[in-house]
Amino acid sequence: MAAASEINWRRQALGRRVGTLALVLLVGFLFIWPVAMLFIGIFRNAPPGLPGEWTLDPLVRTFASYDTYTALGNSVIYAVSTTALATLLGAAFAFLATRTTVRLRQCITPVMLLVFAAPNLFYAISWALLADPSTGLLNAAARFVTQSQVNPFNGYSWAGLIIVQSLKLTGFCYLLLLGPFEAMNRSFEEASLIAGAGRLKTVLLIDIPLMTPAIFGVVIVGTVFGLGAFDIPQILGGLAGISVLSTEIFRAVNFSVPPDYARASALGLFMVFALALLLVIQWRVVKAGRFVTMTGKAYKQDRWDLGGWSSVGTAAIVIFTIVALLLPITQLVLTSFQPAIGVYKLTLKNFQAVLADRQTVRAFQVTLELAVLSGLLAMLLATWFGHVGRRSPRWLERYLDTATLVPIVLPGVVLAVGLLWAYVSTPGLRELYGTFWLALIGLVVAIMPIASRAVRGALAQIAKDLEEAAAVAGASSMRVLFDIVVRLMSRSFASGWLVTAVIAAGALDVPLMLLSPTQPSVAILVYSHLISGIPTEAATLLVLLLLAIIAIALLFAAVNALVGIARRRPVDHTAPARRTDTQPAGAMVRPQLEKPV
Amino acid sequence: MNGDLRSIDVGGAHLASSAGDGRTGQIAIEGLSKTFDGSTVVSDLDLLVRDGEFISLLGPSGCGKTTTLRCIAGLEQPSAGRIAIGADVVTDTRRDIFVPPNKRRLGMVFQSYALWPHMSVFGNIAYPLRLQKRPAGEIRKRVIDALALVGLDHLANRGVSELSGGQQQRTALARALASEPRVLLLDEPLSNLDASLRAHMRAELRRIHREIGTTAVYVTHDQLEAVTLSTRIAVMNQGRIQQIGAPREIFATPASRWVAEFVGFENFLDVEVLERSGDRARVRPRDWPITLMCRTASGDSTLRAGGRAILAVRSTAFQAGAGGDTDSVDGTLEDVVYMGEVTEFTVNAYGSRLRVRMIDPGSETHELEAGRPVTLRVSPHHAVALPCPA
């Protein structure tokens, strides 16, 4: 009996190795192969899947072209200025929210969460309408106030581009800075006050130096997203004649005849290197130990009373809320009820037209399926990788972790080009071209960094002992995953699914490049209505999309609350020594590196 | 091996039935090594745990005891070595055999207890039984039996986060025992309890092991736990077993200076062996005018008359005043520290500095102060000659 079982165990050892190999290959194919193919694509003179020759021509052409450097310069200006503004605003609001007694400070986090969650497309379109040089609400107001024919606001300009992107990015920077600000050790400040420094000196000499690494990290990540931004530059910059790298890539594929995939790849790879370099710099700095861990117990929550400046802080909160949320929403809803932009009459015609369109209904179906499935798949994959990673040798854990973070350096348009190369050049997968499935894969890859950060946070809260105890009790690896891990992280899993699905639902770049034009998602439809000159219907569609997202989020919150009530008592996730709690949905959007798609 | 078990009503009958051929719970470890990132944690370790034995792996943190336990459990894959539990080889790196932990039929109590927070007490204990696909009625009976064994019969439906530390500990033990494991593994199970509860649970563990007689491997750094619970103790350091034996053997006759220090010997003297007979020897510390009687490690053949050795003496081996036929030592008091329960003296004897502790030195020692001459008697039972390190 013993001999027979030994042979069995040896076979299993072999099986495990084959399983590991399969996992490594799958992860490599999903996350690394597209980047590799992007590289190879530079040296091909034909689009993916077509016979071509090896050549250096595209590379030379791309880097000898004046357009490339214009776009590059614009990208850098765009990324740096928006990041600077957004970090400044985010840090100021994080300070107000965590360290002062300013009124309305409790509103900051909810507002920022909404700003973060709102799709880029929403900002692009609402501000395009709001600051439209002739018909926008802002200019109408300016004309009314000055009783003249001035039109001071123009969204289709450098100023418009930078302000709108900064507003959107502020939500992200704020959420990243909130944690470090909250965790700041009050005793450092107290020591400084006792040493004789005033409040202002304490802020300048203690707080700001302490926060520098955190702020530096946010600046780098913000720059990464600024460089990769597509929706806002495409919509606002398109009319202003401002091109950045991502819009240039889109143009190379969609407006060149024949599509210039080699140029798109060259520009894309350029971005990949730049972004990877930025992230490596950030990791180096964080790793070098310059990051001061700011933990410690404050005996009481001592917030600062800013005195006369309090009302300035409150005013800043009100103004930001108006500018970043209320104005865009008002304009969007208003436009959806207008017969034409600038005509102040209300009508339901747009809704009737949109809902009567069979393509609209189909687009909502496609979007729902894309969002729900991509979120679910990304979370399942992330959970699986995370679970396997925890019980694997170090190299495998690091491989899984790093591979799932690769999409951070792949802005949507670049990822799409890479995926086209990767799948269309692979025999048997060519059929995926232009189908729902390739777009689905694209979204899964794009939201993977967020999913894997969310899962990592949740897994870290499950003591490894709990899994080992189940293994010793006789549970197989899969049973451990489903009986213990998934059960314990179910709430985090659900909120991660929600967040990734919402991001996928509002994504424009990946579906726009990968879905067939005959089967558009809602975001694509919004975009195409806008560029074909029907902004009212674009606004209507966007309103409907946002309503659908809000409805789903509310449904989720309700179910979550019901589950919470149904659980008799709070449950402690870890062994007695370590304390944890389930993450609320809001916490999910605070992993260290995130990528708005 | 578990005679008194049959007289126990609750939890007894089924737990006894597994003790088939007397080898089922034996653990044979040969050449076990484990390296993490280049550093060796366990190094070429051999250990035979007999069926029904309660063996403790005792050592300071980082000595490899927990790693050894986790290799037995299958939670770590050894870098080299062979482990057999009963008749089954569960790990053999040379033949590429590795049985995963869920197929080893073991019970394990974790340092953190590792109770699953989403299951009740009953659910936690029933989980291993459910995985064995036992019928529902049997599961119910076994869980109740296991709870009765650890004295928690009334708490089956509680959530685990509502339990106190001691109750969690008992639940973890019940879970480990419910499925009749071949071997029970315990990883510092008492270290998260406060002192009084620890003493109580120690007694409980003793009682439970006596009742069920399952082979147990117990990892601890607490000497008291190891001594009170174990049939044998394996003292470990730097990934190797330094000495293995019954608790009395290890504490009376440590095999090396390291083990002697670890089990509390505080005085070490270079000595010359004058004569040896059996486990007794007469030695002369270097530069001393007198000789002392002492023990030798049983079976130690390196100590011979005329050779050198190290004499280890417990600080409690001394008594004040000369008398009887024991050897007496003359010295000078250098320091006196009152420590409450005991008083600690530093005595300079013939140029060697001795640390001496006495419980309640009594009125005549009150006048003892630095500079005074003292005479001490040395109990030969608490002094042992150790081989010089090579």
Side-chain angles (χ1 to χ4, degrees):
Chain A
M1 160 235 153
S5 69
E6 274 171 27
I7 290 164
N8 194 10
W9 296 130
R10 293 168 81 160
R11 206 172 290 145
Q12 288 216 351
L14 182 69
R16 264 197 309 281
R17 256 161 239 166
V18 171
T20 304
L21 185 68
L23 179 67
V24 167
L25 289 179
L26 172 73
V27 170
F29 181 76
L30 279 177
F31 300 100
I32 297 170
W33 184 234
V35 183
M37 284 307 289
L38 205 58
F39 183 73
I40 292 172
I42 298 173
F43 304 104
R44 303 292 293 175
N45 63 359
L50 292 180
E53 282 153 13
W54 294 100
T55 170
L56 278 177
D57 177 53
L59 202 61
V60 174
R61 189 156 38 86
T62 303
F63 289 100
S65 147
Y66 181 71
D67 289 352
T68 303
Y69 295 99
T70 312
L72 175 64
N74 287 345
S75 273
V76 170
I77 295 171
Y78 183 74
V80 169
S81 54
T82 53
T83 304
L85 256 175
T87 308
L88 211 64
L89 281 174
F93 281 114
F95 177 75
L96 288 179
T98 55
R99 305 307 318 279
T100 67
T101 56
V102 165
R103 286 209 311 190
L104 294 181
R105 61 171 191 272
Q106 299 87 346
C107 303
I108 301 178
T109 301
V111 167
M112 292 293 181
L113 274 171
L114 286 174
V115 170
F116 173 77
N120 281 306
L121 192 61
F122 161 75
Y123 275 90
I125 289 187
S126 61
W127 273 89
L129 298 168
L130 201 54
D132 185 282
S134 51
T135 60
L137 258 188
L138 288 180
N139 285 320
R143 284 195 298 268
F144 179 77
V145 169
T146 58
Q147 290 298 321
S148 64
Q149 287 303 306
V150 295
N151 287 316
F153 298 102
N154 182 3
Y156 305 109
S157 66
W158 264 114
L161 263 181
I162 289 174
I163 289 172
V164 174
Q165 182 72 62
S166 301
L167 285 176
K168 168 69 181 152
L169 207 53
T170 299
F172 177 67
C173 292
Y174 170 85
L175 292 172
L176 281 183
L177 285 170
L178 196 58
F181 268 87
E182 271 174 351
M184 185 147 68
N185 191 341
R186 307 289 199 268
S187 63
F188 290 141
E189 288 180 2
E190 286 161 4
S192 161
L193 291 173
I194 288 165
R199 284 276 160 88
L200 185 64
K201 267 201 168 152
T202 300
V203 169
L204 291 178
L205 297 176
I206 305 296
D207 291 349
I208 290 179
L210 280 175
M211 296 305 297
T212 301
I215 292 173
F216 178 74
V218 171
V219 167
I220 296 272
V221 178
T223 311
V224 167
F225 294 144
L227 280 175
F230 172 75
D231 300 11
I232 294 172
Q234 176 68 19
I235 288 168
L236 293 178
L239 276 174
I242 300 166
S243 69
V244 294
L245 281 177
S246 54
T247 58
E248 206 55 17
I249 292 168
F250 181 72
R251 221 166 55 126
V253 173
N254 287 9
F255 295 104
S256 306
V257 183
D260 193 348
Y261 280 96
R263 178 173 157 77
S265 308
L267 290 172
L269 207 65
F270 196 50
M271 286 179 83
V272 170
F273 278 128
L275 301 186
L277 188 70
L278 282 173
L279 288 178
V280 166
I281 292 172
Q282 193 222 349
W283 285 336
R284 271 286 149 81
V285 170
V286 173
K287 228 186 171 172
R290 281 180 46 199
F291 204 106
V292 186
T293 339
M294 287 158 302
T295 52
K297 219 179 256 175
Y299 286 102
K300 61 179 166 53
Q301 185 75 338
D302 57 335
R303 291 170 174 276
W304 290 5
D305 186 345
L306 296 186
W309 289 94
S310 286
S311 45
V312 177
T314 308
I317 297 169
V318 171
I319 292 171
F320 183 83
T321 310
I322 291 173
V323 172
L325 279 183
L326 297 183
L327 276 180
I329 290 171
T330 310
Q331 176 71 64
L332 198 69
V333 173
L334 184 67
T335 306
S336 71
F337 286 105
Q338 286 177 322
I341 54 166
V343 180
Y344 289 91
K345 252 173 30 183
L346 298 184
T347 170
L348 282 173
K349 183 180 70 78
N350 297 324
F351 285 91
Q352 286 159 352
V354 159
L355 291 175
D357 190 347
R358 292 191 56 190
Q359 202 181 24
T360 310
V361 181
R362 183 74 196 113
F364 270 97
Q365 263 177 22
V366 169
T367 305
L368 183 73
E369 286 164 13
L370 271 183
V372 170
L373 282 180
S374 64
L376 180 63
L377 281 174
M379 286 302 289
L380 282 175
L381 282 177
T383 307
W384 182 39
F385 296 161
H387 177 65
V388 171
R390 259 156 69 100
R391 2 181 344 129
S392 300
R394 272 270 273 291
W395 67 267
L396 185 55
E397 187 181 3
R398 292 189 68 160
Y399 170 75
L400 291 174
D401 206 41
T402 315
T404 52
L405 288 183
V406 163
I408 290 181
V409 298
L410 290 170
V413 279
V414 182
L415 173 66
V417 174
L419 285 176
L420 284 174
W421 279 116
Y423 286 75
V424 175
S425 323
T426 308
L429 294 175
R430 193 162 301 163
E431 286 69 29
L432 290 175
Y433 177 73
T435 65
F436 173 85
W437 301 106
L438 188 58
L440 180 67
I441 293 169
L443 282 172
V444 168
V445 173
I447 58 184
M448 198 60 190
I450 298 173
S452 74
R453 293 300 92 172
V455 165
R456 221 166 102 121
L459 279 181
Q461 302 199 332
I462 300 172
K464 224 171 166 181
D465 289 357
L466 295 175
E467 293 173 38
E468 291 176 352
V472 174
S476 63
S477 178
M478 272 296 155
R479 295 265 337 217
V480 174
L481 181 60
F482 285 103
D483 284 357
I484 311 295
V485 177
V486 172
R487 291 285 309 279
L488 284 175
M489 61 173 282
S490 56
R491 295 183 81 162
S492 303
F493 187 94
S495 37
W497 184 6
L498 178 75
V499 168
T500 48
V502 166
I503 291 171
L508 173 64
D509 44 13
V510 172
L512 186 60
M513 302 266 293
L514 295 181
L515 272 181
S516 123
T518 57
Q519 193 192 22
S521 71
V522 177
I524 297 174
L525 220 49
V526 169
Y527 172 73
S528 63
H529 279 330
L530 188 79
I531 56 168
S532 52
I534 338 173
T536 48
E537 287 191 12
T540 309
L541 271 173
L542 197 50
V543 166
L544 288 173
L545 178 63
L546 293 178
L547 283 177
I549 290 175
I550 292 168
I552 289 175
L554 286 179
L555 188 70
F556 173 81
V559 170
N560 214 357
L562 281 179
V563 171
I565 292 167
R567 290 191 182 187
R568 287 167 306 157
R569 299 171 193 92
V571 174
D572 197 336
H573 266 204
T574 43
R578 282 153 281 183
R579 244 222 65 64
T580 64
D581 36 316
T582 44
Q583 294 187 6
M588 298 300 305
V589 293
R590 272 204 257 152
Q592 214 194 353
L593 293 170
E594 281 171 336
K595 178 176 190 250
V597 178
Chain B
M1 72 175 210
N2 41 21
D4 35 6
L5 178 61
R6 283 164 187 91
S7 62
I8 306 288
D9 237 279
V10 274
H14 70 269
L15 293 166
S17 61
S18 66
D21 61 2
R23 271 188 66 194
T24 48
Q26 173 181 298
I27 307 170
I29 302 175
E30 289 162 29
L32 183 75
S33 292
K34 175 73 187 175
T35 50
F36 287 107
D37 300 324
S39 67
T40 303
V41 182
V42 176
S43 150
D44 198 18
L45 180 139
D46 296 318
L47 177 66
L48 183 72
V49 183
R50 296 188 277 264
D51 187 44
E53 193 170 26
F54 193 116
I55 196 159
S56 288
L57 305 181
L58 175 68
S61 57
C63 71
K65 55 191 191 298
T66 294
T67 305
T68 305
L69 189 81
R70 290 170 62 85
C71 285
I72 299 173
L75 295 170
E76 295 299 346
Q77 294 213 27
S79 313
R82 179 179 180 278
I83 300 174
I85 299 174
D88 302 333
V89 176
V90 292
T91 298
D92 188 341
T93 51
R94 231 175 305 159
R95 289 192 296 154
D96 206 7
I97 294 173
F98 180 78
V99 180
N102 50 314
K103 303 290 183 192
R104 293 194 179 190
R105 290 192 286 129
L106 307 174
M108 182 159 173
V109 180
F110 290 74
Q111 183 172 9
S112 60
Y113 317 139
L115 298 177
W116 302 301
H118 58 299
M119 299 181 192
S120 65
V121 168
F122 186 94
N124 265 278
I125 300 171
Y127 187 78
L129 297 164
R130 287 193 176 125
L131 290 172
Q132 292 178 357
K133 305 220 163 45
R134 313 260 183 140
E138 189 194 336
I139 292 177
R140 181 141 207 100
K141 183 181 176 313
R142 278 170 186 269
V143 173
I144 290 170
D145 287 351
L147 278 170
L149 184 68
V150 299
L152 282 186
D153 353 22
H154 54 296
L155 293 180
N157 294 317
R158 287 276 180 90
V160 292
S161 53
E162 299 162 56
L163 302 180
S164 69
Q167 288 168 337
Q168 292 191 1
Q169 164 72 71
R170 286 163 190 266
T171 307
L173 187 61
R175 181 177 69 187
L177 291 173
S179 62
E180 271 175 34
R182 294 188 287 186
V183 171
L184 178 62
L185 306 175
L186 304 108
D187 185 6
E188 308 216 13
L190 304 185
S191 61
N192 276 342
L193 300 177
D194 60 46
S196 63
L197 206 50
R198 195 150 54 212
H200 183 66
M201 280 309 296
R202 214 163 48 220
E204 282 288 278
L205 275 175
R206 227 179 119 83
R207 171 185 69 81
I208 288 164
H209 182 251
R210 242 189 251 145
E211 282 179 21
I212 60 170
T214 306
T215 312
V217 182
Y218 188 96
V219 162
T220 184
H221 61 262
D222 184 309
Q223 298 180 14
L224 190 59
E225 281 172 23
V227 172
T228 50
L229 289 169
S230 318
T231 43
R232 280 195 304 160
I233 297 174
V235 182
M236 288 185 69
N237 188 37
Q238 294 183 333
R240 295 171 191 277
I241 291 181
Q242 304 291 326
Q243 186 176 5
I244 183 161
R248 195 176 289 277
E249 200 178 320
I250 289 188
F251 276 72
T253 53
S256 67
R257 175 164 181 165
W258 188 88
V259 176
E261 277 181 38
F262 186 72
V263 300
F265 284 81
E266 291 184 82
N267 298 299
F268 296 91
L269 301 166
D270 286 334
V271 296
E272 184 192 347
V273 182
L274 300 177
E275 57 185 89
R276 167 166 186 187
S277 63
D279 61 349
R280 287 295 162 114
R282 178 159 288 281
V283 298
R284 182 202 299 280
R286 191 191 294 165
D287 301 332
W288 283 30
I290 60 151
T291 63
L292 295 172
M293 273 305 282
C294 65
R295 287 167 168 265
T296 62
S298 55
D300 184 291
S301 58
T302 58
L303 287 180
R304 290 207 188 88
R308 300 211 65 83
I310 290 176
L311 182 69
V313 190
R314 285 189 181 276
S315 62
T316 50
F318 300 95
Q319 284 169 291
D325 54 354
T326 47
D327 305 302
S328 52
V329 177
D330 293 317
T332 317
L333 266 180
E334 286 195 338
D335 195 14
V336 182
V337 182
Y338 178 65
M339 296 171 73
E341 200 181 347
V342 295
T343 303
E344 189 177 282
F345 304 93
T346 307
V347 177
N348 189 326
Y350 318 117
S352 307
R353 188 161 291 160
L354 301 176
R355 178 165 294 172
V356 177
R357 282 179 198 214
M358 289 183 202
I359 296 168
D360 183 23
S363 55
E364 75 270 28
T365 55
H366 271 305
E367 60 237 37
L368 289 177
E369 52 190 47
R372 294 246 177 160
V374 282
T375 303
L376 298 169
R377 278 172 291 151
V378 185
S379 155
H381 293 285
H382 298 116
V384 58
L386 307 171
C388 286

